Amino acid sequence: MAKFDYDIGIIGGGAAGLTVASGSAQLGARTLLIEKEESLGGDCLHFGCVPSKTLIKSAKLYHAMKRASEFGLPAVDLPPVNFSLVAERIKSVISEIQKHDSVERFNRLGAEIRFGSPCFVDEHMVDCDGQKISAKHWVIATGSSPAPPRIPSLGEIPLITNREVFSLQELPASLIVLGGGPIAIEMAQAFCRLGSRVTVVQRSAQILSKEDRDMADTVMTTMEKEGVRFILEAEISGATLKGEDKIIRVTTPAGSQEISGDTVLLAQGRSPNVSGLGLDAIGITFSTRGIEVDNRMRTSHHHIYAPGDINGRYQFTHAAGYEGGIVVSNAVFHLPRKANFRWMPWCTFCDPELASIGLNEKRAQALGIGYSVLKEEFSANDRALAEGSTVGQLKLLLDKKEKVMGVQILGPSAGDLLAEWVAVLESKMKLTHLAGTIHPYPTLAEINKRVAGGHISSKIFSQRVRKALKLFFRLQGTSVPSDPPGE
């Protein structure tokens, strides 16, 4: 008779938990997944990646329709947006993707699904709504939630977060966005494009503070031209209600001011979902950042794992899926596989998009690492010119040995363009190989080949090479003098 009810028990049905459930069940492990929400999919499907990108697409199309005359088309007099229809489309996209994350699908794979709120009784057992369940291995994949307000007075006014913003039935006339991270910036631009008057309040002197200043400032400038107002270096000193309006008082280096809006979106970071799990009782080490794990995703109890947002390392859906795979390798295959985050890609889906992999200048400087920079502008890319999307650049960081340290792309479809660099860097492909590959013309992806080719060209077409070729092959030199005489 088995000592435990299950080989592996998983708490949380988001990206990390579903990855573990799918992998372990298909490998023959007796698998249980417990989810506290009404359906599987986690924040990404219901309140994050999927609804936000659906909203962004609607806003981008509406914005493009307003710009019709810039493309030689008749100007369009557009009616105001009916946000309930946008929300309905978001709901329909979620429903379609939900089929992939359905209970029925995971049952077919061999995983049992239960809905409830489990709490650890001991290292191998949880109490789920009065029922004791044991497992040889446990996986805590409960994700994260919007961080609570940093200022007590914010609790005195109605706030929305990413959990409510996609189901609004009316477009806010005026939206105050508290925060300047990816969620805040994506939502600020989308709602501005749809017709809201948007103000972003950011505590630091830069939006997207983890990115290089020049890239982030270009995003901000673009959004300012579209109508978004930014208040930087702002400390919130208070918040009150005045009729239907919410009043936010802020202090900046320029002085104090009040900002009024009918809707306030709180987007000031994320907090790990650790409460109610009984982690203290079983000695799991965690902090306000999340559960502490090693590179095998193991907690302080090595048979308990914590992949995804819950560990606070990389709060990306693709990171959660990757970490879930690490858990399957360790818990099911019993292979000591370690996570390697050196080439973790990410993208903020503003317009232009901002995608990164590896080190950027800010990070390299913080680590005291010397580097050189190669840049390629989208204004020199033929496809970008044809599509009227020329704002942005590709920035390539090289170390002292001229090996790639990181890539940042600010421009159209930057997230998709970065995928090529993921393959290049993971496979340790040399820049000479990338420069020698054939890319279809005209495509945005040519910018990847061009920045690599520019680096190689500086060596191939050097004076030293010219002199050597002239010596060995008796070349006659250029046909046109470098400084032709005037007429």
Side-chain angles (χ1 to χ4, degrees):
M1 184 174 178
K3 182 180 178 182
F4 303 107
D5 299 326
Y6 298 90
D7 295 312
I8 188 165
I10 304 151
I11 304 174
L18 293 178
T19 298
V20 178
S22 173
S24 59
Q26 291 182 87
L27 289 168
R30 184 170 172 79
T31 302
L32 170 68
L33 186 147
I34 306 173
E35 170 58 48
K36 69 175 183 178
E37 301 288 349
E38 296 179 353
S39 55
L40 302 178
D43 244 39
C44 176
L45 175 57
H46 299 285
F47 312 112
C49 313
V50 171
S52 66
K53 303 316 165 277
T54 307
L55 172 65
I56 287 169
K57 179 63 175 181
S58 293
K60 189 172 185 177
L61 282 174
Y62 191 67
H63 180 67
M65 291 164 71
K66 291 179 179 179
R67 299 174 58 209
S69 61
E70 297 178 24
F71 296 88
L73 300 173
V76 180
D77 185 15
L78 294 172
V81 168
N82 181 345
F83 195 80
S84 66
L85 298 179
V86 177
E88 188 62 32
R89 177 174 179 268
I90 292 172
K91 185 178 179 180
S92 70
V93 173
I94 292 173
S95 296
E96 185 65 28
I97 297 175
Q98 182 72 70
K99 297 174 184 176
H100 183 74
D101 291 345
S102 67
V103 172
E104 293 76 16
R105 175 175 177 269
F106 279 85
N107 285 165
R108 289 194 298 271
L109 294 176
E112 180 182 346
I113 309 296
R114 298 190 191 187
F115 293 92
S117 300
C119 177
F120 279 97
V121 175
D122 60 38
E123 296 176 22
H124 286 280
M125 183 177 291
V126 300
D127 182 318
C128 184
D129 300 333
Q131 183 178 5
K132 300 293 193 297
I133 304 169
S134 65
K136 182 178 181 180
H137 300 280
W138 280 100
V139 178
I140 304 170
T142 49
S144 64
S145 296
R150 296 170 181 157
I151 307 300
S153 61
L154 285 174
E156 299 175 8
I157 65 172
L159 301 170
I160 65 170
T161 67
N162 65 295
R163 293 184 68 90
E164 297 84 27
V165 69
F166 304 111
S167 56
L168 293 173
Q169 292 304 299
E170 294 184 3
L171 184 73
S174 52
L175 175 68
I176 302 173
V177 179
L178 303 181
I183 294 173
I185 295 308
E186 289 178 1
M187 293 301 95
Q189 185 175 48
F191 276 93
C192 177
R193 287 181 164 186
L194 290 172
S196 297
R197 186 176 73 254
V198 178
T199 302
V200 174
V201 180
Q202 167 70 332
R203 185 171 56 173
S204 69
Q206 175 193 321
I207 64 168
L208 303 174
S209 56
K210 292 183 180 179
E211 306 289 352
D212 284 346
R213 182 66 180 262
D214 58 339
M215 300 292 220
D217 282 354
T218 300
V219 172
M220 188 172 74
T221 299
T222 300
M223 291 174 62
E224 284 178 327
K225 290 178 180 178
E226 293 180 8
V228 179
R229 177 190 178 200
F230 290 90
I231 302 177
L232 305 182
E233 297 182 88
E235 291 291 339
I236 299 173
S237 56
T240 57
L241 279 174
K242 188 176 182 180
E244 294 296 319
D245 286 338
K246 289 80 180 175
I247 309 298
I248 306 293
R249 293 188 296 275
V250 300
T251 302
T252 71
S256 300
Q257 59 180 298
E258 291 187 346
I259 311 156
S260 175
D262 58 54
T263 306
V264 179
L265 173 64
L266 180 66
Q268 295 180 320
R270 308 282 294 177
S271 294
N273 294 328
V274 294
S275 64
L277 294 173
L279 302 184
D280 284 323
I282 62 170
I284 293 289
T285 304
F286 67 95
S287 68
T288 55
R289 292 179 57 85
I291 297 176
E292 292 185 15
V293 295
D294 61 15
N295 285 338
R296 291 164 64 178
M297 298 299 115
R298 301 179 302 183
T299 68
S300 46
H301 292 305
H302 284 182
H303 67 283
I304 302 178
Y305 300 82
D309 280 17
I310 189 64
N311 65 47
R313 288 189 172 186
Y314 291 94
Q315 294 180 336
F316 308 128
T317 298
H318 49 281
Y322 170 71
E323 292 175 2
I326 297 293
V327 171
V328 172
S329 295
N330 282 273
V332 182
F333 280 108
H334 296 281
L335 297 174
R337 182 184 171 199
K338 296 181 179 180
N340 182 350
F341 299 108
R342 183 181 181 187
W343 301 122
M344 174 62 68
W346 68 91
C347 182
T348 300
F349 294 91
C350 45
D351 185 11
E353 293 179 3
L354 178 50
S356 302
I357 187 170
L359 298 182
N360 57 17
E361 290 194 77
K362 180 176 288 187
R363 182 65 176 152
Q365 290 168 8
L367 295 172
I369 300 174
Y371 63 90
S372 58
V373 180
L374 299 176
K375 296 182 180 180
E376 190 67 37
E377 302 289 335
F378 275 93
S379 57
N381 179 274
D382 291 357
R383 181 61 177 272
L385 285 163
E387 295 193 354
S389 300
T390 58
V391 174
Q393 63 177 330
L394 185 154
K395 186 192 297 186
L396 186 68
L397 264 67
L398 304 177
D399 64 17
K400 293 181 179 178
K401 295 182 179 180
E402 298 191 336
K403 291 185 177 180
V404 179
M405 295 167 54
V407 182
Q408 288 77 55
I409 306 177
L410 173 66
S413 301
D416 293 318
L417 296 177
L418 193 73
E420 184 171 21
W421 287 103
V422 175
V424 166
L425 296 171
E426 286 286 4
S427 65
K428 299 180 181 179
M429 179 188 291
K430 295 181 179 179
L431 288 179
T432 51
H433 292 163
L434 177 59
T437 58
I438 302 173
H439 286 57
Y441 174 87
T443 59
L444 296 171
E446 286 183 295
I447 198 168
N448 294 334
K449 172 184 171 70
R450 186 160 178 170
V451 74
H455 176 61
I456 304 306
S457 295
S458 65
K459 301 179 181 300
I460 294 177
F461 301 118
S462 67
Q463 286 297 323
R464 177 181 295 181
V465 172
R466 289 163 62 96
K467 289 180 180 179
L469 292 174
K470 185 174 183 179
L471 175 64
F472 287 109
F473 301 111
R474 298 182 180 180
L475 299 181
Q476 298 181 53
T478 181
S479 300
V480 180
S482 57
D483 295 306
E487 295 182 358

